Amino acid sequence: MTAPIQVNSFRTGPDERGHFGIYGGRFVAETLMPLILDLERAYAEAKADPAYRREMDGHLKNYVGRPSPLYLAERLTAHFAGAKIYFKREDLNHTGAHKVNNVLGQIMLAKRMGKPRVIAETGAGMHGVATATLCAKFGLKCIVYMGAVDVGRQQPNVLRMKAMGAEVRAVESGAKTLKDAMNEALRDWVTNVSDTFYCIGTVAGPHPYPMMVRDFQSIIGIETREQMQQEEGRLPDSLIACIGGGSNAMGLFYPFLDDRQVEIYGVEAAGHGLKKKHAASVAGGKPGVLHGNRTYLLMDDDGQIEEAHSISAGLDYPGIGPEHSWLHDVGRIKFLSATDKEALAAFQLCSRMEGIIPALESCHALARLGDIVSNKPKDHLMVVNLSGRGDKDLDSVAHHLGGKL
Amino acid sequence: MTTRIDRRFADLKSEGRAGLVTFLMAGDPDAKTALAILKALPKAGADVIEIGMPFTDPMADGPAIQAAGLRALKSGQTMVKTLAAVRAFRKDDDTTPIVLMGYYNPIYIYGVAKFLDDAKGAGVDGLIVVDLPPEEDEELCLPALAAGLNFIRLATPTTDDKRLPAVLKNTSGFVYYVSIAGITGAAAPDVGQVHAAVGRIKRHTKLPVAVGFGVRSAKQVKDIAAGAEAVVVGSALVNAVAKSLDNKGKATGRTVKAVTNLVSELASGVRGPKKAK
């Protein structure tokens, strides 16, 4: 399954039924099937409508604040004494993470489809905040499902969502984290079929979500190409991003997939370690079906889904986007992992050396940086997707470091 | 080819009444008690038996069935044990149809071909797999039909006339009409709307139609039965199990009786009052 397969292009998926190789698909209850087909149609129409694209570009520029800078991290580069390290600064977007790129596209689509009510699931709360933000801007009702554990560890984001008029519903079932929030959001959708748009936060779920979210997030990689050309006169040599569901990673990677000389690294959350509780679905899981798609999942021998664990609420999910699963199998993305402890160390290093407080999610990518760049020549250009800012994690980090920030 | 399901619906038709379909979770609250309940169901008045295959993430189910699945998993239920329960049931009963209902992942991980072999061998008659719409028929539906099992599809209030033919195409045994847009155990359906919807489905198929989701009383069973071939009750029965447990969640002397009493009462809705007691 992991032996590289020869393919002509890595950018042709999904097929018309939503498959990336054996992954993806539309594994949903019949009640939702007509809704998903409607969404697929509506998205295809919007995509073909230049006015939709124009409006989106305007909001990306003036509301989100794009393009986000490509920043040369000089002190970290000197610290590791290897490749040149650039940060793609998604943390500087309005709402503080890459999530807004996708939410903008989906909320504009909700508006087009005449759906007055928007639901979303959230882990770290960044997707919830982005959804609450754009629902406020576009005047839509917003309900965010969030695991009760995450409500506890991401209070600042809960308050931000409430401040913008969203209703945050704490989910008490299962492990009370992202997986359970997604179950509850699906239950809401199945109940409120006529007026509700489900705004999924990552490149997962039933077709067309993985494709649609990827398309919206691809702005990250498209800008990175242009910016690196301007800065260095050529493409980067390697890319690295953290992967939970994998939307920030897919957004950076997708425009580079067919530039085969560009090395691509995805970093999963190894939690307490890959032999203990973790959230690394590729490293520790196998293909299965959950939440509308076939993909790598953490599960037991009887097909029961296992609870994931990561210090980072945004990576605390037992699955991964189906396109990532395929890109792993065909050998285009190299998957690595970082533990909670390594992420915390990277949090401190980046904050102190660059004056940038990264989200704990992004810290997983930063944690693997040293291993890779140290073995590269000084003219090697590496881009890290700094997917979000870490203000939301300060309490949690202080707690894990025993009060010593 | 006729199956136990086909024969049971033919019998019900000749008796001139609708059937009662019961849903309970395999291994809830433990394998032994669940088997005792299963064996007692036909006598209590169940015409068709649905057995839930527990899953950690039942996206279309309400709190009652979610909790039942977790109770079963906690007590060690597995697919192997679920199939063993069907085999044990078949030793004494070769006529009551058994339908396994659940989500795809546990079947996929068990292995589709092996699952179909083992299910057929154990005496299973049909499958309802909530997260396999017609768009994914190649996964399990077509192999199941080829193996001689019925594949029972859900039709819902969102399944319009344009889509119904696709939903009905590879459906066999009966059609399960989900009476509300929602999760199991939710609000009671409006009887008038249900009858209209069943009438709409019947214009597209000769298959029997069973109606479920939100049905919990004998009165509702009776009202819905007036316009359908069968009525499904699930969450109410699962709740009867839950209420009979001790404070540690273990079965008590009341558990089996709690379920069979409720099944008898619900069965009065399809059999007339004379058998209510």
Short mmCIF file of all heavy atoms in Angstrom, two decimals, chain B residues 37-76:
data_model
loop_
_atom_site.label_atom_id
_atom_site.label_comp_id
_atom_site.label_asym_id
_atom_site.label_seq_id
_atom_site.Cartn_x
_atom_site.Cartn_y
_atom_site.Cartn_z
N ILE B 37 -33.32 -11.77 25.18
CA ILE B 37 -34.33 -10.85 24.63
C ILE B 37 -34.66 -11.28 23.19
O ILE B 37 -35.83 -11.41 22.82
CB ILE B 37 -33.82 -9.39 24.64
CG1 ILE B 37 -33.65 -8.89 26.07
CG2 ILE B 37 -34.79 -8.49 23.87
CD1 ILE B 37 -32.98 -7.51 26.17
N LEU B 38 -33.62 -11.51 22.41
CA LEU B 38 -33.79 -11.87 21.00
C LEU B 38 -34.70 -13.09 20.85
O LEU B 38 -35.64 -13.10 20.05
CB LEU B 38 -32.39 -12.13 20.40
CG LEU B 38 -32.30 -12.50 18.94
CD1 LEU B 38 -32.86 -11.37 18.07
CD2 LEU B 38 -30.83 -12.75 18.56
N LYS B 39 -34.41 -14.11 21.66
CA LYS B 39 -35.19 -15.35 21.56
C LYS B 39 -36.65 -15.15 21.96
O LYS B 39 -37.52 -15.89 21.53
CB LYS B 39 -34.54 -16.44 22.43
CG LYS B 39 -33.24 -16.96 21.84
CD LYS B 39 -32.70 -18.12 22.64
CE LYS B 39 -31.61 -18.85 21.88
NZ LYS B 39 -31.04 -19.97 22.63
N ALA B 40 -36.89 -14.15 22.82
CA ALA B 40 -38.26 -13.94 23.32
C ALA B 40 -39.08 -13.03 22.40
O ALA B 40 -40.29 -12.90 22.59
CB ALA B 40 -38.19 -13.34 24.73
N LEU B 41 -38.43 -12.41 21.43
CA LEU B 41 -39.13 -11.40 20.62
C LEU B 41 -40.28 -11.95 19.77
O LEU B 41 -41.36 -11.35 19.74
CB LEU B 41 -38.14 -10.63 19.73
CG LEU B 41 -37.24 -9.61 20.45
CD1 LEU B 41 -36.21 -9.03 19.48
CD2 LEU B 41 -38.07 -8.49 21.07
N PRO B 42 -40.09 -13.08 19.04
CA PRO B 42 -41.19 -13.54 18.18
C PRO B 42 -42.46 -13.82 18.97
O PRO B 42 -43.55 -13.41 18.57
CB PRO B 42 -40.63 -14.82 17.56
CG PRO B 42 -39.14 -14.64 17.59
CD PRO B 42 -38.88 -13.90 18.87
N LYS B 43 -42.31 -14.46 20.13
CA LYS B 43 -43.48 -14.79 20.94
C LYS B 43 -44.16 -13.52 21.46
O LYS B 43 -45.38 -13.45 21.59
CB LYS B 43 -43.05 -15.69 22.10
CG LYS B 43 -44.21 -16.46 22.66
CD LYS B 43 -43.78 -17.55 23.63
CE LYS B 43 -44.98 -17.93 24.49
NZ LYS B 43 -44.64 -17.97 25.92
N ALA B 44 -43.35 -12.51 21.74
CA ALA B 44 -43.92 -11.25 22.25
C ALA B 44 -44.64 -10.47 21.15
O ALA B 44 -45.41 -9.56 21.44
CB ALA B 44 -42.80 -10.40 22.85
N GLY B 45 -44.39 -10.81 19.90
CA GLY B 45 -45.14 -10.14 18.83
C GLY B 45 -44.31 -9.47 17.74
O GLY B 45 -44.84 -8.76 16.91
N ALA B 46 -43.00 -9.71 17.75
CA ALA B 46 -42.17 -9.13 16.69
C ALA B 46 -42.31 -9.97 15.43
O ALA B 46 -42.14 -11.19 15.47
CB ALA B 46 -40.71 -9.09 17.12
N ASP B 47 -42.60 -9.34 14.31
CA ASP B 47 -42.73 -10.06 13.05
C ASP B 47 -41.42 -10.09 12.27
O ASP B 47 -41.14 -11.03 11.54
CB ASP B 47 -43.83 -9.41 12.19
CG ASP B 47 -45.19 -9.52 12.85
OD1 ASP B 47 -45.64 -10.65 13.11
OD2 ASP B 47 -45.80 -8.47 13.15
N VAL B 48 -40.67 -9.02 12.37
CA VAL B 48 -39.35 -8.94 11.75
C VAL B 48 -38.42 -8.36 12.81
O VAL B 48 -38.80 -7.45 13.54
CB VAL B 48 -39.36 -8.02 10.51
CG1 VAL B 48 -37.95 -7.85 9.93
CG2 VAL B 48 -40.31 -8.56 9.44
N ILE B 49 -37.20 -8.91 12.90
CA ILE B 49 -36.27 -8.46 13.94
C ILE B 49 -35.07 -7.75 13.31
O ILE B 49 -34.39 -8.32 12.46
CB ILE B 49 -35.78 -9.66 14.78
CG1 ILE B 49 -36.97 -10.26 15.55
CG2 ILE B 49 -34.68 -9.23 15.75
CD1 ILE B 49 -36.63 -11.55 16.28
N GLU B 50 -34.89 -6.53 13.73
CA GLU B 50 -33.67 -5.81 13.34
C GLU B 50 -32.71 -5.84 14.51
O GLU B 50 -33.09 -5.57 15.65
CB GLU B 50 -33.97 -4.34 13.03
CG GLU B 50 -34.65 -4.11 11.69
CD GLU B 50 -34.94 -2.63 11.45
OE1 GLU B 50 -34.41 -1.77 12.18
OE2 GLU B 50 -35.73 -2.36 10.54
N ILE B 51 -31.47 -6.17 14.21
CA ILE B 51 -30.43 -6.18 15.25
C ILE B 51 -29.38 -5.13 14.88
O ILE B 51 -28.83 -5.16 13.77
CB ILE B 51 -29.75 -7.56 15.34
CG1 ILE B 51 -30.79 -8.64 15.66
CG2 ILE B 51 -28.65 -7.55 16.40
CD1 ILE B 51 -30.21 -10.05 15.69
N GLY B 52 -29.13 -4.22 15.78
CA GLY B 52 -28.13 -3.19 15.54
C GLY B 52 -26.73 -3.75 15.71
O GLY B 52 -26.46 -4.50 16.65
N MET B 53 -25.86 -3.39 14.78
CA MET B 53 -24.44 -3.73 14.93
C MET B 53 -23.80 -2.50 15.57
O MET B 53 -23.76 -1.44 14.95
CB MET B 53 -23.80 -3.99 13.56
CG MET B 53 -24.41 -5.17 12.83
SD MET B 53 -23.79 -5.34 11.13
CE MET B 53 -24.78 -4.12 10.27
N PRO B 54 -23.32 -2.61 16.80
CA PRO B 54 -22.85 -1.40 17.49
C PRO B 54 -21.69 -0.71 16.76
O PRO B 54 -20.86 -1.38 16.15
CB PRO B 54 -22.40 -1.90 18.87
CG PRO B 54 -22.46 -3.37 18.84
CD PRO B 54 -23.22 -3.82 17.63
N PHE B 55 -21.71 0.62 16.83
CA PHE B 55 -20.63 1.41 16.22
C PHE B 55 -20.38 2.62 17.11
O PHE B 55 -21.31 3.20 17.66
CB PHE B 55 -21.02 1.84 14.80
CG PHE B 55 -19.94 2.59 14.06
CD1 PHE B 55 -18.64 2.12 14.03
CD2 PHE B 55 -20.23 3.77 13.39
CE1 PHE B 55 -17.63 2.81 13.35
CE2 PHE B 55 -19.24 4.47 12.70
CZ PHE B 55 -17.94 3.99 12.68
N THR B 56 -19.12 2.98 17.22
CA THR B 56 -18.74 4.10 18.09
C THR B 56 -19.32 5.44 17.63
O THR B 56 -19.52 6.33 18.45
CB THR B 56 -17.20 4.28 18.10
OG1 THR B 56 -16.71 4.05 16.78
CG2 THR B 56 -16.55 3.33 19.08
N ASP B 57 -19.56 5.59 16.32
CA ASP B 57 -19.94 6.90 15.79
C ASP B 57 -21.20 6.84 14.93
O ASP B 57 -21.15 7.07 13.72
CB ASP B 57 -18.78 7.49 14.99
CG ASP B 57 -17.60 7.78 15.89
OD1 ASP B 57 -16.80 6.86 16.16
OD2 ASP B 57 -17.49 8.91 16.36
N PRO B 58 -22.34 6.54 15.56
CA PRO B 58 -23.58 6.39 14.80
C PRO B 58 -24.20 7.74 14.45
O PRO B 58 -25.03 8.27 15.19
CB PRO B 58 -24.48 5.59 15.76
CG PRO B 58 -23.99 5.95 17.13
CD PRO B 58 -22.55 6.31 17.01
N MET B 59 -23.82 8.27 13.27
CA MET B 59 -24.17 9.65 12.92
C MET B 59 -25.66 9.89 12.71
O MET B 59 -26.08 11.04 12.74
CB MET B 59 -23.43 10.08 11.64
CG MET B 59 -21.97 10.38 11.84
SD MET B 59 -20.96 8.96 11.41
CE MET B 59 -21.33 8.75 9.69
N ALA B 60 -26.42 8.84 12.45
CA ALA B 60 -27.85 9.06 12.18
C ALA B 60 -28.72 8.70 13.38
O ALA B 60 -29.93 8.68 13.28
CB ALA B 60 -28.29 8.26 10.95
N ASP B 61 -28.07 8.39 14.50
CA ASP B 61 -28.84 7.94 15.66
C ASP B 61 -28.89 8.97 16.77
O ASP B 61 -27.94 9.71 17.00
CB ASP B 61 -28.26 6.64 16.21
CG ASP B 61 -28.64 5.45 15.34
OD1 ASP B 61 -29.86 5.23 15.18
OD2 ASP B 61 -27.74 4.78 14.82
N GLY B 62 -30.03 8.95 17.48
CA GLY B 62 -30.22 9.82 18.62
C GLY B 62 -29.57 9.24 19.86
O GLY B 62 -28.97 8.15 19.83
N PRO B 63 -29.71 9.95 21.00
CA PRO B 63 -29.03 9.57 22.24
C PRO B 63 -29.33 8.15 22.71
O PRO B 63 -28.43 7.47 23.21
CB PRO B 63 -29.56 10.59 23.26
CG PRO B 63 -30.04 11.75 22.45
CD PRO B 63 -30.46 11.20 21.12
N ALA B 64 -30.58 7.66 22.54
CA ALA B 64 -30.93 6.33 23.07
C ALA B 64 -30.12 5.25 22.37
O ALA B 64 -29.52 4.38 23.04
CB ALA B 64 -32.43 6.07 22.87
N ILE B 65 -30.07 5.28 21.05
CA ILE B 65 -29.35 4.22 20.33
C ILE B 65 -27.84 4.43 20.41
O ILE B 65 -27.08 3.45 20.47
CB ILE B 65 -29.90 4.10 18.88
CG1 ILE B 65 -31.35 3.58 18.98
CG2 ILE B 65 -29.04 3.18 18.03
CD1 ILE B 65 -32.07 3.43 17.66
N GLN B 66 -27.39 5.67 20.49
CA GLN B 66 -25.96 5.91 20.74
C GLN B 66 -25.54 5.23 22.04
O GLN B 66 -24.53 4.53 22.11
CB GLN B 66 -25.67 7.41 20.92
CG GLN B 66 -25.78 8.26 19.68
CD GLN B 66 -25.62 9.75 20.04
OE1 GLN B 66 -24.79 10.12 20.86
NE2 GLN B 66 -26.43 10.58 19.43
N ALA B 67 -26.35 5.44 23.08
CA ALA B 67 -26.01 4.88 24.40
C ALA B 67 -26.05 3.36 24.36
O ALA B 67 -25.20 2.69 24.96
CB ALA B 67 -26.98 5.42 25.46
N ALA B 68 -27.02 2.79 23.63
CA ALA B 68 -27.13 1.33 23.55
C ALA B 68 -25.87 0.74 22.90
O ALA B 68 -25.34 -0.28 23.35
CB ALA B 68 -28.37 0.94 22.75
N GLY B 69 -25.40 1.38 21.83
CA GLY B 69 -24.20 0.91 21.16
C GLY B 69 -23.00 0.95 22.08
O GLY B 69 -22.19 0.02 22.11
N LEU B 70 -22.89 2.03 22.83
CA LEU B 70 -21.74 2.16 23.75
C LEU B 70 -21.82 1.13 24.88
O LEU B 70 -20.80 0.57 25.28
CB LEU B 70 -21.64 3.58 24.29
CG LEU B 70 -21.31 4.65 23.23
CD1 LEU B 70 -21.23 6.04 23.86
CD2 LEU B 70 -20.00 4.34 22.49
N ARG B 71 -23.04 0.87 25.37
CA ARG B 71 -23.20 -0.17 26.41
C ARG B 71 -22.72 -1.51 25.86
O ARG B 71 -22.00 -2.26 26.53
CB ARG B 71 -24.67 -0.31 26.83
CG ARG B 71 -25.19 0.77 27.75
CD ARG B 71 -26.51 0.35 28.43
NE ARG B 71 -27.61 0.10 27.50
CZ ARG B 71 -28.46 1.06 27.06
NH1 ARG B 71 -28.33 2.30 27.47
NH2 ARG B 71 -29.43 0.73 26.23
N ALA B 72 -23.13 -1.82 24.63
CA ALA B 72 -22.76 -3.11 24.02
C ALA B 72 -21.25 -3.20 23.84
O ALA B 72 -20.64 -4.22 24.17
CB ALA B 72 -23.47 -3.26 22.69
N LEU B 73 -20.65 -2.13 23.33
CA LEU B 73 -19.20 -2.16 23.09
C LEU B 73 -18.46 -2.30 24.42
O LEU B 73 -17.47 -3.02 24.52
CB LEU B 73 -18.76 -0.89 22.35
CG LEU B 73 -19.24 -0.79 20.89
CD1 LEU B 73 -18.91 0.59 20.32
CD2 LEU B 73 -18.60 -1.89 20.03
N LYS B 74 -18.96 -1.62 25.42
CA LYS B 74 -18.31 -1.67 26.74
C LYS B 74 -18.36 -3.09 27.30
O LYS B 74 -17.44 -3.53 27.99
CB LYS B 74 -19.02 -0.69 27.68
CG LYS B 74 -18.12 -0.20 28.79
CD LYS B 74 -18.79 0.90 29.59
CE LYS B 74 -18.22 0.91 31.00
NZ LYS B 74 -19.11 1.58 31.94
N SER B 75 -19.45 -3.79 27.01
CA SER B 75 -19.54 -5.17 27.52
C SER B 75 -18.81 -6.15 26.61
O SER B 75 -18.89 -7.36 26.79
CB SER B 75 -21.00 -5.57 27.72
OG SER B 75 -21.55 -5.99 26.48
N GLY B 76 -18.12 -5.65 25.58
CA GLY B 76 -17.26 -6.52 24.77
C GLY B 76 -17.89 -7.05 23.50
O GLY B 76 -17.40 -8.03 22.92
#
